[in-house]
């Protein structure tokens, strides 16, 4: 076949990929991608100059990536694609903690801690001291012993440790005790801007969108035989809760930081007085049957991919 035009080209490409691609799921994805890409070009009657601008943009996104900076995740986030994927893949089982965006600043290899972890150790900036505590529970209310919470958050200036190339700060793997209780010391998170010094920042400016994320603490909560959840705890009263640049806020994920002015309690917890307290339980749904086994395999694969 030859002599393709805008009416016949899509079917020809799809047919060729359908014949050649061996993996059925890959075949489904790549042929749908071709159909949608061609339809997009036709819809907007894309010019050669415009497509070249697009190629230059994607090239710049790739060039901005390194072992610390993931500009493609950021692109997916600000396009709302990351939250679309979360919505499609994480239908929250009743009573379980809702999932939200991972973001580009998760890192493997954070220090491991037990109950009472002090994530402020080595922090280059201080903030408002906060004691975060709660339980990791099954959706039926039973404690999950020794669940692991991967925690990370920005410093008081709204910058993540990875962005400045420093040591791990306000980040750690916190293991719950045998009663499923966890506790950690950190600083109250603050709202911040998504990174605006790269091509994705240019895109945000060009679309006239704002670039702020409401304050939050990230958590990935995992336990054998339970569905892992990638989530946030947002800060009640934050000015950006209703217009998060990456569409990740859910009402069930907004926590209250309460002021505690009690020298005896501060002493008991090893906190300065006064301090803030966030009480927050995470609830995980059990893995079930075959689907559960499949997800458990994916869980390992997904976390490896971010390394
Ligand atoms: C974050 O929460 O760390 C984040 C998420 C999306 C874009 C930028 C940062
Ligand atoms: Fe964040």
């Amino acid at each position: 076949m030859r002599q393709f035009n805008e009416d016949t080209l899509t079917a020809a490409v799809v047919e060729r990929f359908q014949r050649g691609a061996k993996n059925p799921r890959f075949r489904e994805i790549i042929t749908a991608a071709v159909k949608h890409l061609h339809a997009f070009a036709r819809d907007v009657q894309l010019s050669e100059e415009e497509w070249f601008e697009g190629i230059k943009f994607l090239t710049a996104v790739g060039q901005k990536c390194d072992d610390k900076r993931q500009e493609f995740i950021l692109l997916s986030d600000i396009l709302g694609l990351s939250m679309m994927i979360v919505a499609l893949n994480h239908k929250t089982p009743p009573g379980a903690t809702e999932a939200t965006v991972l973001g580009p600043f998760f890192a493997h290899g954070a220090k491991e801690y037990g109950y009472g972890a002090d994530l402020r150790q080595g922090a280059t900036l201080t903030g408002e001291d906060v004691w975060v505590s709660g339980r990791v529970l099954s959706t039926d209310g039973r404690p999950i012993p020794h669940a692991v919470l991967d925690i990370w958050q920005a410093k008081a200036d709204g910058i993540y440790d990875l962005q400045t190339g420093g040591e791990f700060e306000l980040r750690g793997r916190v293991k719950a005790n045998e009663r499923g209780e966890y506790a950690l010391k950190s600083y109250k998170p603050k709202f911040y801007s998504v990174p605006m010094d790269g091509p994705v920042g240019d895109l945000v400016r060009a679309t006239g969108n704002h670039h702020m994320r409401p304050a939050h603490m990230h958590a990935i909560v995992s336990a054998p035989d339970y569905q892992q959840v990638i989530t946030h705890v947002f800060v009640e009263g934050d000015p950006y809760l209703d217009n998060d640049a990456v569409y990740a806020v859910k009402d069930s994920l907004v926590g209250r930081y309460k002021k505690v002015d009690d020298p005896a309690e501060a002493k008991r917890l090893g906190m300065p007085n006064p301090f803030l307290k966030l009480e927050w339980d995470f609830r995980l749904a059990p893995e079930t049957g075959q689907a559960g086994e499949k997800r458990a395999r994916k869980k390992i694969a997904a976390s490896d991919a971010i390394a």
Side-chain angles (χ1 to χ4, degrees):
M1 278 275 281
R2 53 177 85 174
Q3 293 280 109
F4 300 111
N5 61 30
E6 68 264 42
D7 296 321
T8 58
L9 185 58
T10 306
V13 178
V14 166
E15 201 263 325
R16 205 175 281 184
F17 285 6
Q18 236 148 15
R19 249 187 302 123
K22 295 204 170 37
N23 179 305
R25 178 65 178 150
F26 171 63
R27 196 161 59 228
E28 182 183 358
I29 291 171
I30 191 68
T31 54
V34 166
K35 285 182 204 166
H36 286 282
L37 280 170
H38 286 208
F40 154 70
R42 269 195 307 268
D43 269 6
V44 299
Q45 292 290 303
L46 200 63
S47 73
E48 283 164 325
E49 292 75 19
E50 288 162 343
W51 179 222
F52 193 62
E53 281 302 309
I55 287 179
K56 276 203 315 210
F57 171 75
L58 291 172
T59 305
V61 171
Q63 285 169 339
K64 195 74 188 169
C65 294
D66 58 26
D67 60 334
K68 300 253 162 32
R69 175 84 178 239
Q70 232 309 349
E71 196 77 353
F72 272 110
I73 294 185
L74 186 57
L75 177 59
S76 162
D77 292 338
I78 70 105
L79 293 177
L81 186 58
S82 300
M83 278 312 291
M84 175 59 78
I85 307 287
V86 169
L88 290 170
N89 288 278
H90 298 277
K91 310 279 181 228
T92 314
T97 298
E98 288 194 274
T100 191
V101 71
L102 174 70
F105 299 126
F106 172 72
H108 284 285
K111 198 168 157 194
E112 304 201 355
Y113 297 90
Y115 187 90
D118 191 350
L119 306 189
R120 301 167 307 176
Q121 282 171 24
T124 49
L125 268 183
T126 58
E128 289 181 83
D129 296 276
V130 55
W131 172 265
V132 185
S133 64
R135 292 167 303 165
V136 183
L137 301 168
S138 172
T139 41
D140 63 8
R142 276 180 299 131
I144 305 176
H146 311 302
V148 173
L149 301 95
D150 265 293
I151 302 289
W152 71 105
Q153 66 169 81
K155 294 173 284 166
D157 56 359
I159 307 279
Y160 281 82
D161 50 3
L162 297 189
Q163 292 177 275
T164 47
E167 290 299 304
F168 284 174
E169 294 180 48
L170 304 185
R171 186 186 286 275
R173 268 169 86 74
V174 181
K175 201 171 198 174
N177 65 18
E178 58 288 349
R179 292 184 299 279
E181 299 157 344
Y182 75 93
L184 60 97
K185 298 170 184 174
S186 189
Y187 295 124
K188 185 182 176 191
K190 228 184 135 207
F191 53 75
Y192 63 85
S193 168
V194 301
M196 291 292 285
D197 58 341
V200 174
D202 294 339
L203 177 65
V204 172
R205 275 185 287 272
T207 54
N209 266 334
H210 94 106
H211 50 92
M212 299 302 287
R213 293 224 57 212
H216 56 273
M217 176 183 90
H218 292 259
I220 301 179
V221 188
S222 321
D225 304 323
Y226 286 88
Q227 294 176 37
Q228 181 187 66
V229 67
I230 298 175
T231 189
H232 288 10
V233 184
F234 292 96
V235 177
E236 191 179 85
D238 188 279
Y240 296 105
L241 284 172
D242 284 320
N243 50 1
D244 181 1
V246 304
Y247 313 94
V249 178
K250 301 195 172 168
D251 287 336
S252 71
L253 302 182
V254 180
R256 178 172 294 168
Y257 284 70
K258 291 183 208 145
K259 187 162 174 198
V260 178
D261 189 353
D262 179 344
E265 176 73 342
K267 189 158 177 229
R268 188 179 73 80
L269 298 176
M271 296 293 284
N273 192 57
F275 65 103
L276 296 170
K277 219 179 203 183
L278 169 68
E279 287 167 327
W280 195 259
D281 290 344
F282 294 94
R283 288 172 191 267
L284 304 185
E287 289 287 14
T288 45
Q290 267 206 329
E293 282 163 33
K294 247 177 39 206
R295 244 195 318 269
R297 280 201 300 276
K298 263 207 276 183
K299 189 154 79 178
I300 298 160
S303 60
D304 287 350
I306 311 157

